Amino acid sequence: MRNLRKERIGVVTSNKMNKSITVMVERRVKHPMYGKFVKNSNKFLAHDEKDDCNIGDTVRIMETRPLSKNKCWRLVEIIERAK
């Protein structure tokens, strides 16, 4: 089961919580009829144990067991710091 966990790359939009971050993941989907690419975005709550993420950081998150009511992702690494 461990190797079936989903991974996403997104941007941190909030770090005001204690040991938690909100990550916005954007993906581009082709419209079925018109063929235009449309941006879809999802927000995930992720566990940040060391509280070292800042708003605007690009991060990789991984699916994990439920850590709270709506937090079931955890921070794997910070890919790029916000400028």
Side-chain angles (χ1 to χ4, degrees), residues 12-72:
V12 177
T13 56
S14 170
N15 64 346
K16 291 187 167 106
M17 298 162 282
N18 190 17
K19 291 191 178 181
S20 298
I21 53 173
T22 306
V23 180
M24 168 106 49
V25 176
E26 273 193 351
R27 57 196 188 94
R28 296 180 56 203
V29 182
K30 193 173 186 181
H31 191 282
M33 184 172 177
Y34 301 114
K36 181 178 178 176
F37 282 96
V38 185
K39 275 186 191 170
N40 282 0
S41 61
N42 289 66
K43 277 185 178 177
F44 297 104
L45 255 68
H47 183 69
D48 179 12
E49 184 61 44
K50 298 181 194 121
D51 257 335
D52 56 355
C53 280
N54 294 315
I55 293 174
D57 290 354
T58 305
V59 294
R60 174 181 281 118
I61 55 174
M62 176 187 277
E63 206 172 27
T64 183
R65 65 181 173 82
L67 299 165
S68 72
K69 180 182 171 183
N70 43 18
K71 187 164 74 167
C72 52

